[in-house]
Amino acid sequence: MSTNSKTFAHKKPSVYIKTYGCQMNKLDSELSIGFLLKRGYTFAEDENDADVILLNTCSVRDKAEHKVYSQLGSLRDQKEKNPELILGVLGCMAQNEGDKIFKRMPHVNLVCGTRMFSKLPELLEGINGTNKRILAIGEDGEVNFDRLVTQRQNRYNAFVSIMRGCDNYCSYCIVPYVRGREFSRPDADIIDEVKSLADDGCKEVTLLGQNVNSYGKGLSGNVTLATLLRKLDSIEGIERIRFVTSHPKDMTKEIIEAVGELPKVCEYLHMPAQSGSDKILKKMRRQYTSAHYRELVEMAKSLAPDIKIASDFIVGFPGETEEDFEDTVNLMKDVRYQNCFIFKYSPRTGTAATEFPDDVGEETKKRRNHILLDLQKKISTEENRKMVGKSVEVLVEGTSKSDAGRLSGRTRQNQIVVFGLPEGSNQSNVSSSLPGKLAKIDIVDSTDLTLFGVIN
Ligand code: SAH
Ligand code: SF4
Ligand code: F3S
């Protein structure tokens, strides 16, 4: 029997969780904390106060995995000082690396994959007081979507998972291997969850999936993202609905019409192009051409005139010539995105693209990365400048991170707005009553990333 005073029968340990990677990981962390809180665990705000430290990890690029290994390395001292500390690795890298993590990091107790996190309470109970090491990377673990609606990072916004996994197998991407087969969640469950979030004061939901445009595959009846959006739009209390990520190959006119017509669905699409070159798109197995992508953008701009579009791009994919890269530059110039995430290609073991030599040198990848970053910054600056003098609807989130004297929120198009109150208004009253409300803000200034305004 353990002599550990923190044995579960006496006091549940406090858990600190650090999240890497995409929004699905952020949501998985929230769900995990929810499972643990339900079982009596407490949540530590600071890792130094925690009895359990969990890292929820990402494998999408080599650098993402390096970051976690280096963080684990720096936790070694903490574990030496406090041998009862439980250290766990969750998520995509746990799934991808498995017991390699144990071999490289002897002080890690738990490796828990992407389909096992609802078992976290039992897994931690198995380790507590024993310093055992548990590897839980089964692929048949049942994913439990039951959430504590109160457990979310922001009071007024929530992520809602509508699907998990991915069946697309883009040739560079590790996600289908670490997250498993695509699976759509029944729409009735999603509607129930959004209703209970609304009852808890949530105003904005972001529907999440690796490819939300193929939502409904495998469900009975004619369920699609468009039909789901129509049902969610009528839920009282919810003011805004967003969805990410859109795959161009599954984008439909019905989805774009829903964005244009439904009052709560925001005019914002995150629709990654990845490249503007048809040769590279084919090697990436993206299943669309640059011309088709441009048609979708045109359709979106005509059916939802206020729409803003965001994208991801990979530079330096195997075989990418200067000409291919120019095609990407031209696509970026023509679409005039609101914002873009640009990545240097990173070969992932086990993916199809590793059959091609990684033949674009690091210097070229860096140069292309900078060219796209600079171009996007110029476009964002120019587009935001056009907003000066206009009045926009903002969902107020709270005090601005960069200026405690001002508030911040987002437009329907997902632009960040920082704003002050008119002179003479009672700053502290308004600062506490406005968050969670929609406000009209007159834009008076802008940068590439932020709009600045005053409340109307
Ligand atoms: N499901 C989303 C993307 C998920 S991964 C979609 O299909 O759009 C997020 C982004 O990481 C991708 O859009 C891609 O731009 C980038 N990415 C994925 N694998 C990569 C790799 N091996 N090297 C560099 N970037 C990669
Ligand atoms: Fe990866 Fe492609 Fe799936 Fe996105 S759609 S997660 S890029 S395989
Ligand atoms: Fe997301 Fe990274 Fe996993 S991008 S799905 S956390 S590999």
Side-chain angles (χ1 to χ4, degrees):
M1 223 181 86
S2 161
T3 53
N4 180 358
S5 60
K6 289 175 191 136
T7 310
F8 286 40
H10 305 289
K11 174 185 170 284
K12 298 282 186 188
S14 63
V15 183
Y16 178 82
I17 185 159
K18 185 171 164 80
T19 310
Y20 300 81
C22 65
Q23 286 148 325
M24 333 273 151
N25 259 19
K26 289 192 187 133
L27 178 58
D28 283 356
S29 290
E30 282 182 16
L31 293 174
S32 304
I33 295 167
F35 297 138
L36 292 167
L37 292 181
K38 269 193 213 165
R39 298 278 283 263
Y41 291 69
T42 55
F43 178 59
E45 296 284 346
D46 185 321
E47 65 176 52
N48 295 310
D49 303 332
D51 304 309
V52 179
I53 298 178
L54 302 173
L55 306 184
N56 192 7
T57 59
C58 173
S59 276
V60 79
R61 284 167 290 277
D62 197 39
K63 224 164 106 186
E65 293 196 343
H66 272 300
K67 243 201 245 169
V68 174
Y69 273 124
S70 101
Q71 175 72 20
L72 287 172
S74 59
L75 285 166
R76 193 174 288 135
D77 282 354
Q78 216 161 312
K79 175 85 178 174
E80 265 166 25
K81 274 187 226 139
N82 172 15
E84 283 164 7
L85 174 72
I86 298 178
L87 196 53
V89 180
L90 317 181
C92 297
M93 179 177 153
Q95 196 72 44
N96 193 35
E97 292 276 280
D99 66 354
K100 275 195 227 152
I101 297 176
F102 283 151
K103 290 198 184 106
R104 277 181 69 173
M105 297 286 155
H107 54 298
V108 169
N109 302 94
L110 173 67
V111 171
C112 171
T114 51
R115 276 145 287 177
M116 299 298 278
F117 65 90
S118 37
K119 303 235 160 44
L120 265 176
E122 290 83 356
L123 294 168
L124 292 179
E125 260 152 64
I127 298 168
N128 189 52
T130 68
N131 223 359
K132 253 201 269 179
R133 311 183 89 189
I134 298 185
L135 178 70
I137 53 170
E139 296 188 357
D140 48 2
E142 199 174 305
V143 175
N144 183 343
F145 290 102
D146 289 349
R147 80 187 301 166
L148 268 184
V149 287
T150 48
Q151 183 54 47
R152 52 181 200 274
Q153 282 200 324
N154 189 318
R155 196 160 160 55
Y156 306 109
N157 311 324
F159 293 131
V160 173
S161 180
I162 66 167
M163 64 191 308
R164 289 187 69 93
C166 181
D167 282 350
N168 289 313
Y169 293 93
C170 301
S171 65
Y172 50 82
C173 185
I174 200 158
V175 171
Y177 302 92
V178 291
R179 289 255 160 188
R181 299 301 306 267
E182 187 175 308
F183 159 80
S184 288
R185 195 178 165 197
D187 58 350
D189 293 1
I190 299 167
I191 292 163
D192 282 350
E193 181 173 331
V194 174
K195 280 184 180 155
S196 38
L197 285 163
D199 291 342
D200 190 57
C202 177
K203 303 290 175 195
E204 176 177 296
V205 290
T206 301
L207 311 180
L208 283 189
Q210 292 296 352
N211 173 14
V212 286
N213 293 4
S214 70
Y215 171 74
K217 214 169 75 182
L219 293 178
S220 58
N222 180 25
V223 181
T224 64
L225 178 62
T227 65
L228 177 67
L229 289 171
R230 287 186 188 274
K231 288 183 182 163
L232 295 176
D233 197 66
S234 63
I235 294 178
E236 220 169 296
I238 295 296
E239 305 276 7
R240 290 178 170 185
I241 303 167
R242 305 184 184 281
F243 54 90
V244 285
T245 308
S246 285
H247 194 308
K249 85 175 163 62
D250 295 307
M251 182 54 95
T252 60
K253 188 165 179 233
E254 287 70 28
I255 297 173
I256 297 177
E257 278 169 347
V259 175
E261 288 168 20
L262 297 173
K264 294 180 183 171
V265 177
C266 292
E267 296 75 21
Y268 177 78
L269 284 183
H270 184 176
M271 185 166 73
Q274 311 295 0
S275 169
S277 149
D278 286 346
K279 181 190 94 190
I280 296 296
L281 286 171
K282 194 154 191 214
K283 280 177 88 174
M284 287 178 162
R285 297 196 186 152
R286 287 291 286 182
Q287 304 176 63
Y288 53 85
T289 59
S290 164
H292 179 65
Y293 184 88
R294 285 165 186 268
E295 278 165 24
L296 291 173
V297 170
E298 283 317 306
M299 191 195 291
K301 288 183 176 171
S302 78
L303 294 176
D306 291 336
I307 205 156
K308 294 279 182 190
I309 298 171
S311 180
D312 299 353
F313 286 101
I314 297 176
V315 293
F317 187 79
E320 185 187 65
T321 61
E322 281 304 316
E323 212 181 352
D324 295 318
F325 177 64
E326 272 310 303
D327 289 341
T328 300
V329 169
N330 288 331
L331 181 66
M332 194 182 243
K333 280 185 183 158
D334 294 344
V335 175
R336 293 188 71 78
Y337 292 101
Q338 162 143 308
N339 60 296
C340 287
F341 300 92
I342 298 147
F343 305 106
K344 290 182 287 173
Y345 171 67
S346 163
R348 309 310 291 134
T349 308
T351 60
T354 53
E355 76 185 60
F356 310 122
D358 181 17
D359 56 2
V360 179
E362 184 57 25
E363 282 311 308
T364 307
K365 284 182 184 168
K366 269 193 198 151
R367 179 172 54 78
R368 292 179 184 167
N369 189 26
H370 275 120
I371 292 173
L372 292 188
L373 285 172
D374 289 348
L375 174 59
Q376 183 54 46
K377 185 169 177 171
K378 178 171 173 282
I379 293 170
S380 300
T381 307
E382 288 170 2
E383 289 298 309
N384 279 354
R385 218 12 55 198
K386 292 183 194 162
M387 299 301 292
V388 173
K390 292 192 177 154
S391 179
V392 293
E393 180 203 272
V394 167
L395 176 62
V396 184
E397 287 171 16
T399 311
S400 159
K401 281 193 196 107
S402 55
D403 179 350
R406 291 196 277 182
L407 293 169
S408 79
R410 281 173 193 264
T411 64
R412 291 173 64 88
Q413 289 76 11
N414 215 19
Q415 294 140 314
I416 298 168
V417 180
V418 172
F419 62 97
L421 303 171
E423 273 181 43
S425 54
N426 182 327
Q427 189 88 21
S428 70
N429 273 0
V430 186
S431 301
S432 56
S433 65
L434 266 187
K437 305 248 164 57
L438 294 174
K440 277 264 175 272
I441 307 293
D442 296 331
I443 302 303
V444 296
D445 200 2
S446 66
T447 64
D448 59 326
L449 298 176
T450 313
L451 302 175
F452 297 94
V454 283
I455 195 160
N456 177 308

